[in-house]
Amino acid sequence: ERATYGALVKALDEAETNARLAHRLYSTARIERARWELDNEVHFGAMRAEAMRELQREKDMKTRSKQITDADVNSACASMFPDEYRAQELKRRRLKETEESLEKLSEVWMMRCKTLQTLLSRQR
């Protein structure tokens, strides 16, 4: 009964609805992640500025001889603000993983639609 023309049409309609919903979820996740990145830049900017001041102070005191790099600043942020840095990085990772998961969900539903379209075209 699942292979009848009517059942395939109904399944395709449902799959297309799910594909649209999955893509809307994915789009919303991308927007939310971008919003969070913008809001988070205020916090990270302050941490980076403080870390940069500390690294520059070390350089001025001749305890640091090499050029200050972004990696140095990130390391300083992590050591100077361990709890905040960890919390922000975990949130960034969670948002990224959620976005990627929803993207995959959207792709899977599109593949399901194509499969059902192929099955339907063979029944005609």
Side-chain angles (χ1 to χ4, degrees):
E1 187 176 305
R2 290 180 61 190
T4 65
Y5 185 80
L8 288 174
V9 169
K10 182 179 180 201
L12 179 58
D13 285 344
E14 290 172 0
E16 288 172 341
T17 298
N18 288 342
R20 280 190 296 277
L21 291 173
H23 187 73
R24 284 178 55 196
L25 278 172
Y26 169 54
S27 295
T28 301
R30 283 189 342 205
I31 291 167
E32 179 59 24
R33 182 174 173 212
R35 185 203 59 77
W36 183 83
E37 290 285 351
L38 290 171
D39 290 347
N40 189 52
E41 189 57 36
V42 173
H43 299 293
F44 264 149
M47 286 193 307
R48 279 195 302 270
E50 183 63 32
M52 187 67 169
R53 276 192 291 277
E54 178 62 24
L55 292 171
Q56 187 61 47
R57 186 184 65 74
E58 289 175 8
K59 192 171 180 183
D60 293 343
M61 292 175 56
K62 307 288 189 218
T63 57
R64 170 181 290 275
S65 59
K66 69 180 193 97
Q67 183 103 14
I68 298 171
T69 65
D70 285 342
D72 293 331
V73 174
N74 283 337
S75 295
C77 285
S79 64
M80 293 171 67
F81 309 100
D83 295 336
E84 183 69 16
Y85 186 85
R86 181 179 183 276
Q88 295 299 323
E89 285 301 312
L90 283 173
K91 178 75 171 186
R92 181 186 317 276
R93 185 66 179 183
R94 258 189 238 110
L95 286 169
K96 182 177 184 275
E97 292 295 325
T98 299
E99 181 182 335
E100 290 173 359
S101 176
L102 291 171
E103 179 181 26
K104 185 67 175 172
L105 177 66
S106 180
E107 291 170 1
V108 166
W109 275 112
M110 288 304 297
M111 289 177 5
R112 178 71 174 155
C113 289
K114 288 177 184 175
T115 300
L116 288 167
Q117 287 168 345
T118 301
L119 290 172
L120 261 175
S121 70
R122 290 183 179 165
Q123 281 218 341
R124 292 180 187 167

